[in-house]
Amino acid sequence: MPSVPRPSGRPTGPANGGPADGTSPDAGRGGIGGSGRSGISAGSGSTAGSGRSAGEGADGAKGPGAAPRDRRRGVLARRIGWLLAGAVALALAALLSLALGSRALAPWAVWDALLHGGHSNAAEVVRGMRLPRTLVGTMVGAALGLAGAVMQGLTRNPIAEPGILGVSQGAAVGVVCAIAFAGVHTLAGYVWFGFVGASAAAVAVYAVAVRGRGGATPVKLALSGAAVNALLVAVVSGILTTRAAALDEFRFWQVGSLADRDATIAGQVWPFLLAGALLVFSVARGLDALALGEEVARGLGQRVGAVRIVGGLGATVLTGAGVAAAGPLAFVGLAVPHLARALVGGSHRWLLPMAALLGPVVLLVSDVLGRLVMRPGEVPAGVMTALVGVPFLVTLVRRRALAA
Protein backbone atom coordinates (compact mmCIF):
# COMPACT_ATOMS: atom_id res chain seq x y z
CA MET A 1 0.00 0.00 0.00
CA PRO A 2 1.26 3.48 -0.68
CA SER A 3 2.90 5.28 2.10
CA VAL A 4 1.25 8.36 3.57
CA PRO A 5 3.47 11.38 3.45
CA ARG A 6 4.42 12.74 6.80
CA PRO A 7 3.65 16.40 7.44
CA SER A 8 6.65 18.62 7.58
CA GLY A 9 6.84 20.97 10.54
CA ARG A 10 4.39 21.31 13.30
CA PRO A 11 0.65 21.79 12.85
CA THR A 12 -0.66 25.24 12.36
CA GLY A 13 -4.13 24.98 13.74
CA PRO A 14 -5.72 27.27 16.27
CA ALA A 15 -4.91 24.89 19.08
CA ASN A 16 -1.25 25.52 18.46
CA GLY A 17 -1.61 29.26 18.21
CA GLY A 18 -1.70 29.43 14.45
CA PRO A 19 -4.19 31.31 12.40
CA ALA A 20 -7.53 29.77 11.70
CA ASP A 21 -7.19 29.96 7.94
CA GLY A 22 -4.30 27.55 7.89
CA THR A 23 -1.59 30.02 7.05
CA SER A 24 1.76 29.77 8.73
CA PRO A 25 2.75 32.02 11.61
CA ASP A 26 5.46 33.52 9.51
CA ALA A 27 2.91 34.29 6.88
CA GLY A 28 0.66 35.76 9.55
CA ARG A 29 3.47 37.87 10.93
CA GLY A 30 4.50 38.79 7.46
CA GLY A 31 0.90 39.67 6.62
CA ILE A 32 0.55 41.75 9.72
CA GLY A 33 3.82 43.47 9.18
CA GLY A 34 3.15 43.89 5.50
CA SER A 35 -0.34 45.12 6.04
CA GLY A 36 0.92 47.47 8.73
CA ARG A 37 3.66 48.80 6.53
CA SER A 38 1.34 49.06 3.57
CA GLY A 39 -1.29 50.67 5.78
CA ILE A 40 1.20 53.22 7.00
CA SER A 41 2.39 53.75 3.48
CA ALA A 42 -1.15 54.11 2.22
CA GLY A 43 -2.02 56.44 5.05
CA SER A 44 0.99 58.61 4.45
CA GLY A 45 0.34 58.49 0.73
CA SER A 46 -3.28 59.50 1.15
CA THR A 47 -2.27 62.21 3.61
CA ALA A 48 0.28 63.58 1.19
CA GLY A 49 -2.20 63.29 -1.64
CA SER A 50 -4.89 65.07 0.36
CA GLY A 51 -2.35 67.74 1.30
CA ARG A 52 -1.46 68.26 -2.34
CA SER A 53 -5.14 68.36 -3.27
CA ALA A 54 -5.86 70.92 -0.55
CA GLY A 55 -2.87 72.95 -1.67
CA GLU A 56 -4.04 72.87 -5.24
CA GLY A 57 -7.49 73.92 -4.07
CA ALA A 58 -5.98 76.82 -2.14
CA ASP A 59 -4.18 77.94 -5.31
CA GLY A 60 -7.51 77.90 -7.14
CA ALA A 61 -6.44 75.21 -9.63
CA LYS A 62 -8.42 72.10 -8.84
CA GLY A 63 -10.18 72.64 -5.53
CA PRO A 64 -13.98 72.56 -5.25
CA GLY A 65 -14.07 76.32 -4.49
CA ALA A 66 -12.04 77.26 -7.55
CA ALA A 67 -15.01 77.63 -9.89
CA PRO A 68 -16.94 80.15 -7.72
CA ARG A 69 -13.73 82.12 -7.18
CA ASP A 70 -13.05 82.17 -10.90
CA ARG A 71 -16.59 83.35 -11.56
CA ARG A 72 -16.26 86.13 -8.98
CA ARG A 73 -12.97 87.22 -10.47
CA GLY A 74 -14.52 87.19 -13.93
CA VAL A 75 -17.47 89.31 -12.79
CA LEU A 76 -15.15 91.75 -11.02
CA ALA A 77 -12.94 92.07 -14.10
CA ARG A 78 -15.98 92.61 -16.30
CA ARG A 79 -17.37 95.32 -14.05
CA ILE A 80 -14.05 97.13 -13.82
CA GLY A 81 -13.73 96.90 -17.59
CA TRP A 82 -17.15 98.46 -18.14
CA LEU A 83 -16.38 101.26 -15.70
CA LEU A 84 -13.16 102.04 -17.58
CA ALA A 85 -15.05 101.90 -20.87
CA GLY A 86 -17.64 104.31 -19.43
CA ALA A 87 -14.89 106.72 -18.39
CA VAL A 88 -13.41 106.60 -21.91
CA ALA A 89 -16.86 107.15 -23.43
CA LEU A 90 -17.38 110.17 -21.16
CA ALA A 91 -14.04 111.65 -22.23
CA LEU A 92 -14.95 111.18 -25.90
CA ALA A 93 -18.41 112.69 -25.37
CA ALA A 94 -16.84 115.73 -23.66
CA LEU A 95 -14.40 116.13 -26.55
CA LEU A 96 -17.26 116.00 -29.06
CA SER A 97 -19.17 118.57 -27.03
CA LEU A 98 -16.17 120.91 -27.10
CA ALA A 99 -15.36 120.37 -30.77
CA LEU A 100 -18.71 120.15 -32.58
CA GLY A 101 -21.46 122.68 -33.05
CA SER A 102 -22.43 125.33 -35.56
CA ARG A 103 -18.69 125.61 -36.17
CA ALA A 104 -16.59 122.47 -35.97
CA LEU A 105 -13.12 122.62 -34.44
CA ALA A 106 -10.24 120.19 -34.79
CA PRO A 107 -9.32 118.22 -31.65
CA TRP A 108 -5.85 119.82 -31.48
CA ALA A 109 -7.44 123.27 -31.67
CA VAL A 110 -9.67 122.35 -28.72
CA TRP A 111 -6.70 121.05 -26.76
CA ASP A 112 -4.67 124.17 -27.49
CA ALA A 113 -7.55 126.42 -26.43
CA LEU A 114 -7.96 124.51 -23.15
CA LEU A 115 -4.26 124.57 -22.30
CA HIS A 116 -3.15 127.97 -23.54
CA GLY A 117 -6.31 130.04 -23.89
CA GLY A 118 -5.72 133.21 -25.83
CA HIS A 119 -8.07 135.49 -27.69
CA SER A 120 -8.52 133.57 -30.90
CA ASN A 121 -11.98 132.67 -32.15
CA ALA A 122 -11.44 129.02 -31.27
CA ALA A 123 -10.35 129.87 -27.74
CA GLU A 124 -13.33 132.17 -27.20
CA VAL A 125 -15.76 129.53 -28.45
CA VAL A 126 -14.24 126.68 -26.45
CA ARG A 127 -13.51 128.41 -23.14
CA GLY A 128 -16.33 130.94 -23.13
CA MET A 129 -19.25 128.91 -24.48
CA ARG A 130 -18.68 125.18 -24.91
CA LEU A 131 -16.64 124.41 -21.80
CA PRO A 132 -19.25 125.72 -19.30
CA ARG A 133 -21.98 124.00 -21.31
CA THR A 134 -20.07 120.71 -21.20
CA LEU A 135 -19.44 121.02 -17.45
CA VAL A 136 -23.12 121.67 -16.75
CA GLY A 137 -24.12 118.77 -19.00
CA THR A 138 -21.69 116.43 -17.23
CA MET A 139 -22.95 117.38 -13.77
CA VAL A 140 -26.64 117.31 -14.69
CA GLY A 141 -26.34 113.97 -16.53
CA ALA A 142 -24.55 112.38 -13.57
CA ALA A 143 -27.12 113.81 -11.17
CA LEU A 144 -30.11 112.49 -13.12
CA GLY A 145 -28.51 109.08 -13.68
CA LEU A 146 -27.76 108.67 -9.97
CA ALA A 147 -31.20 109.94 -8.96
CA GLY A 148 -32.95 107.52 -11.31
CA ALA A 149 -30.96 104.54 -10.03
CA VAL A 150 -31.73 105.44 -6.41
CA MET A 151 -35.43 106.01 -7.15
CA GLN A 152 -35.70 102.58 -8.76
CA GLY A 153 -33.88 101.01 -5.83
CA LEU A 154 -35.97 102.70 -3.17
CA THR A 155 -39.34 102.00 -4.78
CA ARG A 156 -38.34 98.63 -6.29
CA ASN A 157 -40.07 99.90 -9.41
CA PRO A 158 -38.27 99.48 -12.76
CA ILE A 159 -40.10 102.43 -14.34
CA ALA A 160 -39.34 104.86 -11.52
CA GLU A 161 -37.48 108.04 -12.46
CA PRO A 162 -36.80 111.45 -10.83
CA GLY A 163 -40.24 112.75 -11.76
CA ILE A 164 -42.05 109.98 -9.87
CA LEU A 165 -41.94 111.95 -6.61
CA GLY A 166 -43.04 115.18 -8.25
CA VAL A 167 -39.54 116.66 -7.91
CA SER A 168 -39.25 117.79 -11.52
CA GLN A 169 -42.67 119.38 -11.48
CA GLY A 170 -41.88 121.08 -8.18
CA ALA A 171 -38.86 122.70 -9.82
CA ALA A 172 -41.14 123.83 -12.66
CA VAL A 173 -43.47 125.51 -10.16
CA GLY A 174 -40.53 127.31 -8.59
CA VAL A 175 -39.34 128.62 -11.97
CA VAL A 176 -42.83 129.71 -13.02
CA CYS A 177 -43.26 131.62 -9.76
CA ALA A 178 -39.85 133.23 -10.23
CA ILE A 179 -40.79 134.45 -13.71
CA ALA A 180 -44.38 135.48 -13.00
CA PHE A 181 -44.15 136.97 -9.51
CA ALA A 182 -40.50 137.63 -8.60
CA GLY A 183 -39.39 139.20 -11.87
CA VAL A 184 -36.47 136.79 -12.33
CA HIS A 185 -35.44 136.48 -15.96
CA THR A 186 -31.99 134.85 -15.86
CA LEU A 187 -30.99 131.19 -15.87
CA ALA A 188 -28.78 131.76 -12.85
CA GLY A 189 -31.80 133.11 -10.97
CA TYR A 190 -33.95 130.14 -11.98
CA VAL A 191 -31.62 127.72 -10.21
CA TRP A 192 -32.46 128.78 -6.67
CA PHE A 193 -36.22 128.92 -7.23
CA GLY A 194 -36.17 125.60 -9.03
CA PHE A 195 -34.22 123.94 -6.25
CA VAL A 196 -36.58 125.29 -3.58
CA GLY A 197 -39.61 124.10 -5.54
CA ALA A 198 -38.15 120.62 -6.03
CA SER A 199 -37.33 120.30 -2.32
CA ALA A 200 -40.81 121.45 -1.28
CA ALA A 201 -42.44 118.91 -3.61
CA ALA A 202 -40.33 116.06 -2.26
CA VAL A 203 -41.17 116.99 1.34
CA ALA A 204 -44.88 117.14 0.49
CA VAL A 205 -44.80 113.71 -1.16
CA TYR A 206 -43.02 112.13 1.80
CA ALA A 207 -45.33 113.81 4.31
CA VAL A 208 -48.36 112.32 2.55
CA ALA A 209 -46.83 108.86 2.14
CA VAL A 210 -45.56 108.50 5.70
CA ARG A 211 -49.03 108.77 7.25
CA GLY A 212 -51.06 105.66 7.87
CA ARG A 213 -50.08 102.05 8.44
CA GLY A 214 -46.75 100.86 7.12
CA GLY A 215 -45.19 104.28 6.72
CA ALA A 216 -43.71 105.43 3.43
CA THR A 217 -43.88 102.17 1.47
CA PRO A 218 -42.86 102.10 -2.20
CA VAL A 219 -46.47 101.92 -3.38
CA LYS A 220 -47.53 104.82 -1.17
CA LEU A 221 -44.58 106.91 -2.33
CA ALA A 222 -45.46 106.28 -5.97
CA LEU A 223 -49.13 107.11 -5.45
CA SER A 224 -48.34 110.21 -3.40
CA GLY A 225 -45.87 111.34 -6.04
CA ALA A 226 -48.44 110.91 -8.80
CA ALA A 227 -51.03 112.90 -6.84
CA VAL A 228 -48.65 115.75 -5.98
CA ASN A 229 -47.34 115.81 -9.54
CA ALA A 230 -50.86 116.20 -10.93
CA LEU A 231 -51.53 119.02 -8.49
CA LEU A 232 -48.35 120.85 -9.47
CA VAL A 233 -49.12 120.48 -13.18
CA ALA A 234 -52.44 122.19 -12.52
CA VAL A 235 -50.68 124.99 -10.61
CA VAL A 236 -48.24 125.60 -13.47
CA SER A 237 -51.02 125.61 -16.05
CA GLY A 238 -53.10 128.00 -13.96
CA ILE A 239 -50.23 130.50 -13.60
CA LEU A 240 -49.29 130.37 -17.27
CA THR A 241 -52.83 130.90 -18.50
CA THR A 242 -53.08 134.13 -16.52
CA ARG A 243 -49.52 135.32 -17.28
CA ALA A 244 -49.04 135.20 -21.03
CA ALA A 245 -45.64 136.90 -20.84
CA ALA A 246 -44.37 134.20 -18.46
CA LEU A 247 -45.39 131.48 -20.91
CA ASP A 248 -43.00 132.65 -23.63
CA GLU A 249 -40.08 132.66 -21.23
CA PHE A 250 -40.98 129.50 -19.37
CA ARG A 251 -41.39 127.25 -22.39
CA PHE A 252 -37.70 127.50 -23.26
CA TRP A 253 -36.78 126.27 -19.78
CA GLN A 254 -39.53 123.64 -19.69
CA VAL A 255 -38.27 121.71 -22.72
CA GLY A 256 -34.83 121.19 -21.13
CA SER A 257 -31.65 122.50 -22.70
CA LEU A 258 -27.95 123.14 -22.10
CA ALA A 259 -27.85 126.21 -24.32
CA ASP A 260 -26.56 129.44 -22.73
CA ARG A 261 -25.54 127.67 -19.52
CA ASP A 262 -22.45 129.43 -18.25
CA ALA A 263 -19.87 129.01 -15.51
CA THR A 264 -22.10 130.83 -13.02
CA ILE A 265 -24.69 128.06 -13.16
CA ALA A 266 -22.00 125.40 -12.86
CA GLY A 267 -20.67 127.13 -9.76
CA GLN A 268 -24.14 127.31 -8.24
CA VAL A 269 -25.12 123.67 -8.61
CA TRP A 270 -21.91 121.68 -8.01
CA PRO A 271 -22.05 121.84 -4.17
CA PHE A 272 -25.57 120.39 -4.20
CA LEU A 273 -24.61 117.70 -6.69
CA LEU A 274 -21.62 116.71 -4.57
CA ALA A 275 -23.71 116.55 -1.40
CA GLY A 276 -26.41 114.48 -3.13
CA ALA A 277 -23.85 112.07 -4.58
CA LEU A 278 -22.29 111.50 -1.15
CA LEU A 279 -25.71 110.76 0.32
CA VAL A 280 -26.71 108.19 -2.29
CA PHE A 281 -23.34 106.43 -2.30
CA SER A 282 -23.53 106.10 1.49
CA VAL A 283 -26.65 103.91 1.21
CA ALA A 284 -25.47 101.67 -1.64
CA ARG A 285 -25.29 98.56 0.59
CA GLY A 286 -28.66 99.40 2.11
CA LEU A 287 -30.22 99.58 -1.35
CA ASP A 288 -28.79 96.16 -2.18
CA ALA A 289 -30.35 94.73 0.97
CA LEU A 290 -33.64 96.54 0.32
CA ALA A 291 -33.87 94.90 -3.09
CA LEU A 292 -34.32 91.57 -1.24
CA GLY A 293 -37.32 92.87 0.68
CA GLU A 294 -37.83 94.88 3.83
CA GLU A 295 -37.84 91.92 6.21
CA VAL A 296 -34.66 90.49 4.72
CA ALA A 297 -33.01 93.91 4.86
CA ARG A 298 -33.86 94.25 8.54
CA GLY A 299 -32.56 90.73 9.14
CA LEU A 300 -29.28 91.76 7.56
CA GLY A 301 -28.97 94.62 10.04
CA GLN A 302 -30.04 97.45 7.75
CA ARG A 303 -32.12 100.33 9.06
CA VAL A 304 -34.72 100.47 6.33
CA GLY A 305 -36.17 103.80 7.43
CA ALA A 306 -32.77 105.48 7.49
CA VAL A 307 -31.89 104.06 4.07
CA ARG A 308 -35.08 105.44 2.60
CA ILE A 309 -34.69 108.87 4.17
CA VAL A 310 -31.02 109.30 3.26
CA GLY A 311 -31.46 107.85 -0.23
CA GLY A 312 -34.60 109.86 -0.90
CA LEU A 313 -32.94 113.04 0.35
CA GLY A 314 -29.91 112.45 -1.86
CA ALA A 315 -32.08 111.75 -4.92
CA THR A 316 -34.13 114.88 -4.22
CA VAL A 317 -31.02 117.08 -3.95
CA LEU A 318 -29.59 115.63 -7.16
CA THR A 319 -32.84 115.98 -9.10
CA GLY A 320 -33.59 119.44 -7.78
CA ALA A 321 -30.17 120.82 -8.67
CA GLY A 322 -30.08 119.10 -12.08
CA VAL A 323 -33.57 120.14 -13.13
CA ALA A 324 -33.06 123.68 -11.85
CA ALA A 325 -29.88 124.02 -13.90
CA ALA A 326 -30.99 122.52 -17.22
CA GLY A 327 -34.74 122.03 -17.05
CA PRO A 328 -36.68 118.75 -16.93
CA LEU A 329 -34.61 116.57 -19.27
CA ALA A 330 -36.76 113.62 -20.25
CA PHE A 331 -35.72 109.99 -20.17
CA VAL A 332 -32.21 110.32 -18.70
CA GLY A 333 -33.23 109.23 -15.20
CA LEU A 334 -35.32 106.35 -16.59
CA ALA A 335 -33.09 104.87 -19.30
CA VAL A 336 -29.61 105.32 -17.83
CA PRO A 337 -30.08 103.04 -14.77
CA HIS A 338 -31.30 100.21 -16.99
CA LEU A 339 -28.37 100.62 -19.36
CA ALA A 340 -25.97 100.61 -16.41
CA ARG A 341 -27.67 97.58 -14.85
CA ALA A 342 -27.34 95.64 -18.10
CA LEU A 343 -23.57 96.24 -18.06
CA VAL A 344 -22.51 95.83 -14.41
CA GLY A 345 -25.44 94.08 -12.74
CA GLY A 346 -27.80 95.15 -9.99
CA SER A 347 -25.33 95.74 -7.14
CA HIS A 348 -25.61 99.44 -6.30
CA ARG A 349 -21.93 99.63 -5.39
CA TRP A 350 -21.27 99.20 -9.11
CA LEU A 351 -24.57 100.44 -10.52
CA LEU A 352 -24.28 103.95 -9.09
CA PRO A 353 -20.79 104.71 -10.49
CA MET A 354 -21.82 103.31 -13.88
CA ALA A 355 -24.99 105.44 -13.92
CA ALA A 356 -22.90 108.50 -12.99
CA LEU A 357 -20.73 107.83 -16.07
CA LEU A 358 -23.47 106.92 -18.53
CA GLY A 359 -25.76 109.83 -17.61
CA PRO A 360 -23.35 112.50 -18.90
CA VAL A 361 -22.56 110.40 -21.97
CA VAL A 362 -26.24 110.19 -22.95
CA LEU A 363 -26.87 113.88 -22.24
CA LEU A 364 -23.74 115.22 -23.96
CA VAL A 365 -24.19 113.03 -27.05
CA SER A 366 -27.83 114.11 -27.26
CA ASP A 367 -26.80 117.76 -26.96
CA VAL A 368 -24.17 117.39 -29.69
CA LEU A 369 -26.66 115.71 -32.02
CA GLY A 370 -29.12 118.52 -31.35
CA ARG A 371 -26.51 121.04 -32.48
CA LEU A 372 -25.77 119.15 -35.69
CA VAL A 373 -29.18 118.13 -37.06
CA MET A 374 -30.43 121.69 -37.67
CA ARG A 375 -27.30 123.81 -38.08
CA PRO A 376 -26.86 126.71 -37.55
CA GLY A 377 -29.81 126.33 -35.16
CA GLU A 378 -30.17 123.51 -32.65
CA VAL A 379 -32.71 121.13 -31.18
CA PRO A 380 -32.96 121.32 -27.35
CA ALA A 381 -31.25 118.53 -25.45
CA GLY A 382 -34.52 117.60 -23.73
CA VAL A 383 -35.98 116.60 -27.10
CA MET A 384 -32.89 114.72 -28.22
CA THR A 385 -32.52 112.69 -25.01
CA ALA A 386 -35.86 111.02 -25.71
CA LEU A 387 -34.96 110.41 -29.36
CA VAL A 388 -31.60 108.89 -28.38
CA GLY A 389 -32.74 107.04 -25.25
CA VAL A 390 -35.89 105.39 -26.56
CA PRO A 391 -34.15 103.04 -29.06
CA PHE A 392 -31.69 101.88 -26.39
CA LEU A 393 -34.43 101.11 -23.89
CA VAL A 394 -36.69 99.44 -26.47
CA THR A 395 -33.79 97.20 -27.55
CA LEU A 396 -33.09 96.37 -23.92
CA VAL A 397 -36.73 95.49 -23.25
CA ARG A 398 -36.88 93.22 -26.29
CA ARG A 399 -33.63 91.38 -25.51
CA ARG A 400 -33.90 90.81 -21.76
CA ALA A 401 -36.23 91.20 -18.79
CA LEU A 402 -35.81 94.33 -16.73
CA ALA A 403 -35.06 93.72 -13.06
CA ALA A 404 -36.02 96.25 -10.43
Side-chain angles (χ1 to χ4, degrees), residues 260-279:
D260 300 326
R261 267 61 179 182
D262 55 18
T264 302
I265 296 179
Q268 287 176 331
V269 300
W270 78 262
F272 298 101
L273 299 181
L274 178 60
L278 292 176
L279 288 175

Side-chain angles (χ1 to χ4, degrees), residues 127-206:
R127 296 174 68 93
M129 299 173 60
R130 293 182 183 175
L131 181 58
R133 181 173 184 162
T134 302
L135 289 177
V136 172
T138 301
M139 292 189 293
V140 172
L144 295 179
L146 286 172
V150 173
M151 292 287 188
Q152 292 175 8
L154 287 176
T155 61
R156 301 201 297 276
N157 184 353
I159 62 172
E161 47 94 21
I164 193 173
L165 299 183
V167 177
S168 299
Q169 201 60 39
V173 172
V175 172
V176 166
C177 292
I179 296 172
F181 304 117
V184 177
H185 303 289
T186 63
L187 292 173
Y190 295 164
V191 171
W192 300 112
F193 286 89
F195 184 74
V196 171
S199 302
V203 170
V205 169
Y206 186 80

Side-chain angles (χ1 to χ4, degrees), residues 82-337:
W82 279 119
L83 286 178
L84 294 177
V88 172
L90 177 56
L92 292 176
L95 178 61
L96 292 176
S97 180
L98 294 172
L100 299 179
S102 58
R103 176 189 174 189
L105 299 174
W108 55 84
V110 173
W111 187 254
D112 183 70
L114 291 175
L115 291 182
H116 304 103
H119 299 284
S120 64
N121 291 334
E124 293 293 337
V125 169
V126 171
R127 296 174 68 93
M129 299 173 60
R130 293 182 183 175
L131 181 58
R133 181 173 184 162
T134 302
L135 289 177
V136 172
T138 301
M139 292 189 293
V140 172
L144 295 179
L146 286 172
V150 173
M151 292 287 188
Q152 292 175 8
L154 287 176
T155 61
R156 301 201 297 276
N157 184 353
I159 62 172
E161 47 94 21
I164 193 173
L165 299 183
V167 177
S168 299
Q169 201 60 39
V173 172
V175 172
V176 166
C177 292
I179 296 172
F181 304 117
V184 177
H185 303 289
T186 63
L187 292 173
Y190 295 164
V191 171
W192 300 112
F193 286 89
F195 184 74
V196 171
S199 302
V203 170
V205 169
Y206 186 80
V208 173
V210 76
R211 294 181 177 275
R213 296 180 58 185
T217 63
V219 175
K220 292 172 67 176
L221 282 172
L223 293 176
S224 301
V228 172
N229 191 75
L231 174 63
L232 296 178
V233 169
V235 171
V236 170
S237 300
I239 295 175
L240 294 179
T241 54
T242 59
R243 303 272 182 163
L247 175 60
D248 293 334
E249 192 171 344
F250 174 74
R251 62 190 179 94
F252 291 104
W253 179 89
Q254 175 69 20
V255 72
S257 176
L258 297 178
D260 300 326
R261 267 61 179 182
D262 55 18
T264 302
I265 296 179
Q268 287 176 331
V269 300
W270 78 262
F272 298 101
L273 299 181
L274 178 60
L278 292 176
L279 288 175
V280 299
F281 276 107
S282 68
V283 296
R285 291 182 179 273
L287 292 174
D288 289 339
L290 193 60
L292 303 174
E294 294 183 15
E295 297 300 327
V296 176
R298 290 191 179 95
L300 293 175
Q302 295 292 332
R303 300 170 60 186
V304 174
V307 170
R308 283 180 176 164
I309 292 175
V310 175
L313 179 60
T316 299
V317 172
L318 290 170
T319 305
V323 172
L329 295 164
F331 219 74
V332 177
L334 174 62
V336 166

